[in-house]
Amino acid sequence: DKIDFVGTEGESLLHRRTDIGKRATEKKLRIGILGSTRGTASIPVIEACKTGALHAEIAAVVSNKQSAPILDKGRALGPTVSVEHFSAKGLSRAEFDAQCTSALLDAGADFILLVGYMRILSKQF
């Protein structure tokens, strides 16, 4: 048997509540990008944010590689995007992840997109 949400007259049988969650749907999602490489996989997301196809904005770009081209992509997005590089030298995995997490949270990231990120994340992340 097939479940159908369209009535016999073609009307929708789904009821959509408009009294709850309105602010949540109006607020753009803020995406933090964590990457170690060129960031090529982030291009469709960045473009979708720019065109409005994705109701979101890039809040931060963070990398463990100082020369990673993904940082240039973040800088190209303008001054409202936080772009950070953190070196893991001398830090435990958890300490380094805490730095990255802090930068992403400070930028207001709601979701984190891992793009060619070449490190294993700690449980604390």
Side-chain angles (χ1 to χ4, degrees):
D1 290 325
K2 180 181 169 187
I3 298 174
D4 200 357
F5 297 102
V6 178
T8 57
E9 304 294 319
E11 76 279 9
S12 175
L13 298 178
L14 295 177
H15 173 71
R16 182 172 164 214
R17 289 193 60 177
T18 57
D19 59 329
I20 60 171
K22 187 173 183 178
R23 283 185 298 189
T25 59
E26 290 175 350
K27 178 186 177 246
K28 283 188 173 185
L29 296 175
R30 294 183 51 81
I31 298 172
I33 299 176
L34 196 52
S36 300
T37 58
R38 294 186 312 264
T40 306
S42 67
I43 293 172
V45 175
I46 291 169
E47 290 302 317
C49 290
K50 284 181 183 177
T51 64
L54 182 61
H55 192 62
E57 59 192 358
I58 305 301
V61 177
V62 176
S63 180
N64 62 313
K65 302 281 186 181
Q66 187 171 9
S67 61
I70 194 167
L71 294 173
D72 295 328
K73 286 179 178 52
R75 288 184 198 101
L77 294 172
T80 60
V81 177
S82 174
V83 179
E84 302 278 347
H85 159 259
F86 296 108
S87 174
K89 279 194 174 181
L91 300 176
S92 70
R93 184 175 293 151
E95 291 170 328
F96 176 76
D97 285 355
Q99 277 188 330
C100 293
T101 300
S102 178
L104 293 163
L105 290 175
D106 288 349
D110 299 312
F111 293 94
I112 310 303
L113 180 62
L114 302 177
V115 178
Y117 191 60
M118 304 308 289
R119 290 182 52 88
I120 296 172
L121 298 172
S122 65
K123 288 182 182 182
Q124 292 82 2
F125 182 84

